[in-house]
Amino acid sequence: MQNESTSSPAEDSQTGDSLIGEEYEVEVGPVAHGGHCVARTSEGQVLFVRHTLPGEKVIARITDGDKDSRFLRADAVTIIEPSKDRVEAPCPYAGPGKCGGCDWQHAKPGAQRRLKGEVIAEQLQRLAGLTPEEVGWDGTVMPAEGDKLPKGEVPAWRTRVQYAIDENGRAGLRKHRSHDVEPVEHCMIAAPGVSELGVEKRDWTGMASVEAITATGSNDRQVILTPKPGARLPLVELDKPVSVLRVDERDGGVHRVHGRGFVRERADDRTYRVGSGGFWQVHPQAANTLVRAVMQGLLPRKNDTALDLYCGVGLFAGAIGQRIGEKGAVLGIESGKRAVEDARHNLQDLDRVRIEHGKVEQILPRTGITECDLIVLDPPRAGAGKQTVKHLAGLGARRIAYVACDPAALARDLAYFREGGYKVRTLRAFDLFPMTHHVECVAILEPTGKGA
């Protein structure tokens, strides 16, 4: 989960009288990071309200907090004055107390993208002191190819869905900030390849979760079962051919039960093996969209040397490796052991690419690298952090591409890069998680001394 403050609230201990269940009529203010909007109670306490939109008047029911809390969480349970951007949520499982997977089912697609853009702009200003103009961004969040659909239709984009299993063996999705399960017959944002498996129709007694994966670069499908302690695996018979893996309750490792231990994905005219449920972008257009944005920003040249940090199965390392000629060199660093094995397999035809296993902050100083031409980093949600950014800024790269799934982490790290002598040349934002508050950004940085 993201770190949160007034824009995105941090956890707050409850010390006073609980207000859970209390209702307030409130005027809703701006959107905040985390899929909610800001309001205030009549006593002046800050409310972070889900299922509403800026400018609405609503009845907000408290879901978390007490009289001494710095802020309260709430759901909008009655809409008194709706926004012009409001629509009836297409999904029957969306709404207060239901599935927590989607934040913006009740907003028009264009409004969702505007809200995400406002969050990015607010985080850049608050955490890095940067305006959209200063980062070369026009404020828009671009939809993924194929996601512009008529009102009331939902993009079926999620190629990986982790279903939680309730006490009756039914597949469902977690409620917001809860371990409770909302059983579902169909998840509207699940990609067709996931829905066609029929996971929701089966009895999963004894399982804690079932993750369903469909590849976009092949017909590969996979389910990963996490049994409850002591439970035996069921006989898995789904509506389409599927490989089966299981999570070991002792070591947390993922082991093959039946079929392939990996799925084959495709991006930038290369095939990538992704094993044991390893990381791959969830939206079917995401990998190609991000590779294009990164390559257009970096503009690799023959003989360049490059770093690909948090490189996963080698997506960006492969893209750069294909563009720098035989005398160039790429070093990828990745902490996941299986991802490193996959990256080495995926890029074995590119002698100029080398993949190292370990944490970036530990491996990078050991490499002895003192300079390079290009850097791409795609860190986890928490960001790269001050020390890693300081190290990178000292390598003198001509261009740096920062791929971010969290605007707050991006803004913090951009501030650190500025301290290290780098400015943002361009920033692009992509709506690769429709109906949710998540958004992907690609920032291209260059040394401050260069022209804008």
Side-chain angles (χ1 to χ4, degrees), residues 46 127 167 202-203 206 253 263 284 306 328 345-346 379 389:
V46 173
L127 298 176
E167 65 276 7
R202 299 304 196 274
D203 182 351
V263 295
H345 170 84
N346 295 333
V389 169

Side-chain angles (χ1 to χ4, degrees), residues 199-273:
V199 170
E200 300 99 332
K201 298 185 295 184
R202 299 304 196 274
D203 182 351
W204 298 102
T205 298
M207 297 300 102
S209 69
V210 177
E211 183 175 9
I213 299 170
T214 181
T216 55
S218 66
N219 291 322
D220 295 345
R221 292 183 176 91
Q222 190 178 84
V223 294
I224 303 175
L225 308 180
T226 303
K228 294 178 179 177
R232 299 181 62 181
L233 287 185
L235 178 64
V236 178
E237 294 182 343
L238 295 172
D239 294 351
K240 296 288 182 179
V242 65
S243 297
V244 179
L245 290 79
R246 67 163 291 167
V247 177
D248 191 298
E249 64 180 84
R250 292 167 298 180
D251 61 12
V254 182
H255 305 285
R256 184 176 66 88
V257 176
H258 167 76
R260 288 192 180 97
F262 58 87
V263 295
R264 294 162 297 176
E265 300 284 3
R266 188 134 182 103
D268 194 42
D269 296 325
R270 294 184 66 86
T271 297
Y272 290 85
R273 184 182 79 181

Side-chain angles (χ1 to χ4, degrees), residues 48-264:
F48 292 94
V49 190
R50 284 173 56 82
H51 310 294
T52 188
L53 293 169
E56 292 188 326
K57 180 183 286 187
V58 305
I59 301 296
R61 180 181 297 154
I62 307 303
T63 59
D64 189 20
D66 57 46
K67 290 182 179 179
D68 295 329
S69 298
R70 291 186 299 109
F71 62 86
L72 305 169
R73 297 181 189 273
D75 287 338
V77 294
T78 302
I79 311 303
I80 300 172
E81 295 179 5
S83 164
K84 61 180 178 57
D85 290 323
R86 175 173 286 276
V87 296
E88 189 73 26
C91 177
Y93 307 108
K98 298 181 182 180
C99 171
C102 290
D103 307 290
W104 301 121
Q105 286 268 353
H106 58 285
K108 295 176 181 177
Q112 294 181 35
R113 294 191 290 273
R114 288 198 306 275
L115 292 171
K116 295 182 187 191
E118 290 171 14
V119 168
I120 295 169
E122 190 271 343
Q123 295 292 295
L124 287 171
Q125 179 62 55
R126 188 170 63 86
L127 298 176
L130 293 169
T131 65
E133 293 76 17
E134 288 174 317
V135 297
W137 176 48
D138 64 4
T140 62
V141 176
M142 298 297 296
E145 185 178 341
D147 277 356
K148 279 193 171 182
L149 297 174
K151 178 182 175 181
E153 292 189 27
V154 174
W157 58 271
R158 194 170 185 89
T159 59
R160 296 173 177 230
V161 178
Q162 186 164 31
Y163 296 93
I165 309 302
D166 73 5
E167 65 276 7
N168 298 313
R170 297 176 299 178
L173 300 165
R174 299 283 185 193
K175 297 181 180 181
H176 182 61
R177 294 176 55 80
S178 171
H179 293 294
D180 294 341
V181 179
E182 177 78 18
V184 300
E185 295 181 3
H186 172 61
C187 174
M188 295 186 74
I189 65 171
V194 168
S195 297
E196 290 168 0
L197 292 175
V199 170
E200 300 99 332
K201 298 185 295 184
R202 299 304 196 274
D203 182 351
W204 298 102
T205 298
M207 297 300 102
S209 69
V210 177
E211 183 175 9
I213 299 170
T214 181
T216 55
S218 66
N219 291 322
D220 295 345
R221 292 183 176 91
Q222 190 178 84
V223 294
I224 303 175
L225 308 180
T226 303
K228 294 178 179 177
R232 299 181 62 181
L233 287 185
L235 178 64
V236 178
E237 294 182 343
L238 295 172
D239 294 351
K240 296 288 182 179
V242 65
S243 297
V244 179
L245 290 79
R246 67 163 291 167
V247 177
D248 191 298
E249 64 180 84
R250 292 167 298 180
D251 61 12
V254 182
H255 305 285
R256 184 176 66 88
V257 176
H258 167 76
R260 288 192 180 97
F262 58 87
V263 295
R264 294 162 297 176

Side-chain angles (χ1 to χ4, degrees), residues 15-31:
T15 58
D17 297 329
S18 174
L19 292 175
I20 294 175
E22 294 292 321
E23 295 185 351
Y24 296 87
E25 181 178 312
V26 296
E27 302 275 355
V28 179
V31 64

